[in-house]
Amino acid sequence: MTGGSVRDDLRRLPWWVAVALTVLALVVLALRAAGLAVAVVVTTAERLDVAAAIRAGISPLGASSWLVSTAVPAPDWTHPGGDR
C-alpha cells in the first residue's frame, strides 16, 4: 500500500478514468440525497396518517401501525399491576 493521498492516486489515472469516477461519485451522491428526501417525506406522511387516524378514532393503515406505539401511551409493563 502506498502512502499517497487520494489526489495523488487520481493523478496517476488517465484523465478520462478520473472524470468517469468523479461523475459516478456525483451520481451516487445525488441518488443518496434523493433517497434521503424520499424517506423523510414518507416518514412524515405516515406520522400524519397515524395522528389523523388516532384523532378520528379509527385504526391507522397497516403500513403505519408500528407508529401507534409511539403515539398512544402504553401501559407500564415494568411494574406488575401498574402500581409503583
Side-chain angles (χ1 to χ4, degrees):
M1 193 161 190
T2 63
S5 67
V6 173
R7 198 174 275 177
D8 292 336
D9 292 340
L10 287 175
R11 284 189 182 129
R12 287 187 208 126
L13 294 173
W15 68 269
W16 57 272
V17 174
V19 169
L21 287 174
T22 303
V23 169
L24 179 63
L26 290 174
V27 168
V28 169
L29 181 64
L31 289 173
R32 290 185 70 145
L36 179 62
V38 167
V40 167
V41 168
V42 168
T43 301
T44 302
E46 286 182 344
R47 289 181 182 272
L48 290 173
D49 170 55
V50 169
I54 289 173
R55 185 152 177 98
I58 59 175
S59 178
L61 295 174
S64 302
S65 60
W66 66 274
L67 293 171
V68 172
S69 64
T70 61
V72 177
D76 188 4
W77 298 106
T78 58
H79 302 291
D83 298 331
R84 292 187 178 224

